[in-house]
């Protein structure tokens, strides 16, 4: 079921984009079905589709959509919302999905740094392995700071390019 503003679109061209973009995400390490669902959501004008709409567009089962949406939700790439007056859920991708996905890595980086702290303490910084772990920890600390600064620059750039909306 197409959204009203999508009626004039070429479904074959949309499908080609979704599959092509999904292939790029798969190559980068994302699972295939979440990549396809994410592509379908990105390509919808509203940025939101029901499970049935996703399933029909991608020609997949409700179970496949459910698993993909669960993964994408855990990665902070989509959110769930209830349709007003209905028990049905819609899945939404937001304009800041990349920001959310990238900044959610902050918690992961902190956990990795903590684990590396333990490793350095256990192995000793004077050992080759301890030095390697300390260098890895320093890399993650560096990346964490760069992400924070980069995201601030992105907010300024986005405002300049696209305004508030």
């Amino acid at each position: 079921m197409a959204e009203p503003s999508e009626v004039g679109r070429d479904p074959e061209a949309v499908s080609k984009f979704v599959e092509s973009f999904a292939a790029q995400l798969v190559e980068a390490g994302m699972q295939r079905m979440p990549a396809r669902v994410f592509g379908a959501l990105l390509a919808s004008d509203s940025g939101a589709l029901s499970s049935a709409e996703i399933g029909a567009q991608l020609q997949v089962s409700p179970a496949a959509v459910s698993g993909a949406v669960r993964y994408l939700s855990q990665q902070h790439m989509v959110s769930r919302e209830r349709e007003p007056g209905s028990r049905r859920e819609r899945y939404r991708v937001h304009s800041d999905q990349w920001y959310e996905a990238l900044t959610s890595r902050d918690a992961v980086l902190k956990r990795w740094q903590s684990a590396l702290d333990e490793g350095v303490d256990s192995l000793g910084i004077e050992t080759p392995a301890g030095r390697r772990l300390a260098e890895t920890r320093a890399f993650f600390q560096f990346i964490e700071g760069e992400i924070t600064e980069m995201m601030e620059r992105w907010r300024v750039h986005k405002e300049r390019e696209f305004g508030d909306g």
Side-chain angles (χ1 to χ4, degrees), residues 68-156:
V69 168
R70 185 177 322 106
Y71 172 84
L72 292 168
S73 294
Q74 291 168 343
Q75 301 304 311
H76 305 282
M77 295 177 76
V78 302
S79 59
R80 298 171 192 250
E81 54 189 43
R82 288 259 185 231
E83 289 184 6
S86 170
R87 290 180 51 210
R88 288 179 36 178
E89 288 185 326
R90 293 179 67 74
Y91 306 104
R92 176 172 300 281
V93 63
H94 297 279
S95 62
D96 62 353
Q97 77 274 354
W98 299 114
Y99 171 83
E100 290 297 326
L102 192 58
T103 55
S104 72
R105 299 290 182 239
D106 188 52
V108 173
L109 288 174
K110 287 196 181 313
R111 286 195 306 269
W112 289 355
Q113 288 174 41
S114 178
L116 288 164
D117 285 343
E118 291 177 25
V120 170
D121 290 346
S122 298
L123 299 169
I125 188 105
E126 68 284 345
T127 67
R131 180 173 169 75
R132 187 170 45 253
L133 293 181
E135 185 177 324
T136 302
R137 176 185 57 199
F139 172 74
F140 289 137
Q141 289 167 336
F142 175 81
I143 293 297
E144 183 180 13
E146 290 296 306
I147 288 172
T148 300
E149 291 176 19
M150 180 179 62
M151 295 317 296
E152 183 52 41
R153 289 191 311 270
W154 165 246
R155 281 190 284 279
V156 170

Side-chain angles (χ1 to χ4, degrees), residues 16-82:
K16 185 176 178 182
F17 162 75
V18 168
E19 297 304 328
S20 173
F21 189 69
Q24 295 300 314
L25 293 175
V26 168
E27 184 139 335
M30 186 182 281
Q31 299 167 2
R32 184 169 185 267
M33 190 54 59
R36 292 181 72 212
V37 169
F38 187 69
L41 287 167
L42 270 181
S44 71
D45 280 342
S46 69
L49 297 169
S50 70
S51 180
E53 289 167 330
I54 294 168
Q57 181 178 339
L58 301 179
Q59 299 178 343
V60 296
S61 71
V65 172
S66 177
V69 168
R70 185 177 322 106
Y71 172 84
L72 292 168
S73 294
Q74 291 168 343
Q75 301 304 311
H76 305 282
M77 295 177 76
V78 302
S79 59
R80 298 171 192 250
E81 54 189 43
R82 288 259 185 231

